[in-house]
Amino acid sequence: MGLILGMAFFFVFVTMVFVAIAVFLPEWLGITGKKAKQIIADQQEQADNTKDSTQQ
């Protein structure tokens, strides 16, 4: 019985840690967060600007 409760507590603890990291540091888990989406958008704008200036 003690082993089951210990394993259940460990599972709940690890799950809570995972959720906390997913919310506050999504990039650590490979989740595209707000910051990553902003960087992608900035890079896309820079690529579009470079493409436009080379075509003229």
Side-chain angles (χ1 to χ4, degrees), residues 37-47:
K37 289 180 182 179
Q38 180 184 7
I39 291 170
I40 291 169
D42 290 343
Q43 289 176 344
Q44 186 64 37
E45 289 173 9
Q46 289 175 356

PDB file of all heavy atoms in Angstrom, residues 37-47:
ATOM      1  N   LYS A  37       7.023  32.646 -31.303  1.00  0.00           N
ATOM      2  CA  LYS A  37       6.169  33.095 -32.404  1.00  0.00           C
ATOM      3  C   LYS A  37       6.552  34.502 -32.849  1.00  0.00           C
ATOM      4  O   LYS A  37       6.530  34.805 -34.045  1.00  0.00           O
ATOM      5  CB  LYS A  37       4.698  33.042 -31.994  1.00  0.00           C
ATOM      6  CG  LYS A  37       4.173  31.628 -31.872  1.00  0.00           C
ATOM      7  CD  LYS A  37       2.718  31.590 -31.472  1.00  0.00           C
ATOM      8  CE  LYS A  37       2.240  30.157 -31.314  1.00  0.00           C
ATOM      9  NZ  LYS A  37       0.849  30.086 -30.914  1.00  0.00           N
ATOM     10  N   GLN A  38       6.933  35.358 -31.905  1.00  0.00           N
ATOM     11  CA  GLN A  38       7.367  36.718 -32.242  1.00  0.00           C
ATOM     12  C   GLN A  38       8.671  36.671 -33.045  1.00  0.00           C
ATOM     13  O   GLN A  38       8.815  37.382 -34.035  1.00  0.00           O
ATOM     14  CB  GLN A  38       7.566  37.533 -30.973  1.00  0.00           C
ATOM     15  CG  GLN A  38       8.022  38.950 -31.226  1.00  0.00           C
ATOM     16  CD  GLN A  38       8.310  39.704 -29.940  1.00  0.00           C
ATOM     17  OE1 GLN A  38       8.285  39.115 -28.861  1.00  0.00           O
ATOM     18  NE2 GLN A  38       8.569  40.968 -30.054  1.00  0.00           N
ATOM     19  N   ILE A  39       9.594  35.824 -32.647  1.00  0.00           N
ATOM     20  CA  ILE A  39      10.867  35.700 -33.365  1.00  0.00           C
ATOM     21  C   ILE A  39      10.620  35.183 -34.777  1.00  0.00           C
ATOM     22  O   ILE A  39      11.214  35.673 -35.750  1.00  0.00           O
ATOM     23  CB  ILE A  39      11.836  34.782 -32.596  1.00  0.00           C
ATOM     24  CG1 ILE A  39      12.271  35.474 -31.303  1.00  0.00           C
ATOM     25  CG2 ILE A  39      13.034  34.409 -33.447  1.00  0.00           C
ATOM     26  CD1 ILE A  39      13.033  34.581 -30.353  1.00  0.00           C
ATOM     27  N   ILE A  40       9.750  34.201 -34.926  1.00  0.00           N
ATOM     28  CA  ILE A  40       9.426  33.662 -36.251  1.00  0.00           C
ATOM     29  C   ILE A  40       8.831  34.752 -37.136  1.00  0.00           C
ATOM     30  O   ILE A  40       9.197  34.887 -38.307  1.00  0.00           O
ATOM     31  CB  ILE A  40       8.469  32.457 -36.132  1.00  0.00           C
ATOM     32  CG1 ILE A  40       9.193  31.273 -35.492  1.00  0.00           C
ATOM     33  CG2 ILE A  40       7.911  32.062 -37.496  1.00  0.00           C
ATOM     34  CD1 ILE A  40       8.275  30.133 -35.093  1.00  0.00           C
ATOM     35  N   ALA A  41       7.933  35.549 -36.587  1.00  0.00           N
ATOM     36  CA  ALA A  41       7.310  36.633 -37.362  1.00  0.00           C
ATOM     37  C   ALA A  41       8.355  37.671 -37.766  1.00  0.00           C
ATOM     38  O   ALA A  41       8.356  38.143 -38.916  1.00  0.00           O
ATOM     39  CB  ALA A  41       6.196  37.283 -36.558  1.00  0.00           C
ATOM     40  N   ASP A  42       9.258  38.022 -36.861  1.00  0.00           N
ATOM     41  CA  ASP A  42      10.310  38.992 -37.178  1.00  0.00           C
ATOM     42  C   ASP A  42      11.221  38.463 -38.283  1.00  0.00           C
ATOM     43  O   ASP A  42      11.601  39.196 -39.194  1.00  0.00           O
ATOM     44  CB  ASP A  42      11.136  39.327 -35.937  1.00  0.00           C
ATOM     45  CG  ASP A  42      10.362  40.145 -34.924  1.00  0.00           C
ATOM     46  OD1 ASP A  42       9.317  40.732 -35.294  1.00  0.00           O
ATOM     47  OD2 ASP A  42      10.797  40.183 -33.750  1.00  0.00           O
ATOM     48  N   GLN A  43      11.572  37.201 -38.209  1.00  0.00           N
ATOM     49  CA  GLN A  43      12.433  36.613 -39.234  1.00  0.00           C
ATOM     50  C   GLN A  43      11.723  36.562 -40.579  1.00  0.00           C
ATOM     51  O   GLN A  43      12.337  36.776 -41.626  1.00  0.00           O
ATOM     52  CB  GLN A  43      12.887  35.220 -38.816  1.00  0.00           C
ATOM     53  CG  GLN A  43      13.872  35.231 -37.685  1.00  0.00           C
ATOM     54  CD  GLN A  43      14.248  33.842 -37.218  1.00  0.00           C
ATOM     55  OE1 GLN A  43      13.586  32.847 -37.527  1.00  0.00           O
ATOM     56  NE2 GLN A  43      15.322  33.755 -36.455  1.00  0.00           N
ATOM     57  N   GLN A  44      10.429  36.292 -40.563  1.00  0.00           N
ATOM     58  CA  GLN A  44       9.655  36.254 -41.805  1.00  0.00           C
ATOM     59  C   GLN A  44       9.608  37.639 -42.433  1.00  0.00           C
ATOM     60  O   GLN A  44       9.762  37.777 -43.647  1.00  0.00           O
ATOM     61  CB  GLN A  44       8.244  35.742 -41.539  1.00  0.00           C
ATOM     62  CG  GLN A  44       7.429  35.529 -42.790  1.00  0.00           C
ATOM     63  CD  GLN A  44       8.003  34.445 -43.682  1.00  0.00           C
ATOM     64  OE1 GLN A  44       8.507  33.439 -43.201  1.00  0.00           O
ATOM     65  NE2 GLN A  44       7.940  34.641 -44.967  1.00  0.00           N
ATOM     66  N   GLU A  45       9.413  38.675 -41.616  1.00  0.00           N
ATOM     67  CA  GLU A  45       9.397  40.050 -42.128  1.00  0.00           C
ATOM     68  C   GLU A  45      10.747  40.414 -42.721  1.00  0.00           C
ATOM     69  O   GLU A  45      10.825  41.036 -43.781  1.00  0.00           O
ATOM     70  CB  GLU A  45       9.038  41.023 -41.008  1.00  0.00           C
ATOM     71  CG  GLU A  45       7.597  40.948 -40.578  1.00  0.00           C
ATOM     72  CD  GLU A  45       7.317  41.814 -39.359  1.00  0.00           C
ATOM     73  OE1 GLU A  45       8.206  42.596 -38.959  1.00  0.00           O
ATOM     74  OE2 GLU A  45       6.210  41.712 -38.811  1.00  0.00           O
ATOM     75  N   GLN A  46      11.828  40.029 -42.058  1.00  0.00           N
ATOM     76  CA  GLN A  46      13.163  40.327 -42.567  1.00  0.00           C
ATOM     77  C   GLN A  46      13.406  39.606 -43.893  1.00  0.00           C
ATOM     78  O   GLN A  46      13.984  40.164 -44.818  1.00  0.00           O
ATOM     79  CB  GLN A  46      14.228  39.926 -41.549  1.00  0.00           C
ATOM     80  CG  GLN A  46      14.260  40.815 -40.331  1.00  0.00           C
ATOM     81  CD  GLN A  46      15.234  40.317 -39.279  1.00  0.00           C
ATOM     82  OE1 GLN A  46      15.839  39.257 -39.428  1.00  0.00           O
ATOM     83  NE2 GLN A  46      15.369  41.079 -38.206  1.00  0.00           N
ATOM     84  N   ALA A  47      12.949  38.378 -44.003  1.00  0.00           N
ATOM     85  CA  ALA A  47      13.120  37.621 -45.242  1.00  0.00           C
ATOM     86  C   ALA A  47      12.323  38.270 -46.366  1.00  0.00           C
ATOM     87  O   ALA A  47      12.799  38.366 -47.505  1.00  0.00           O
ATOM     88  CB  ALA A  47      12.687  36.175 -45.047  1.00  0.00           C
TER      89      ALA A  47
END
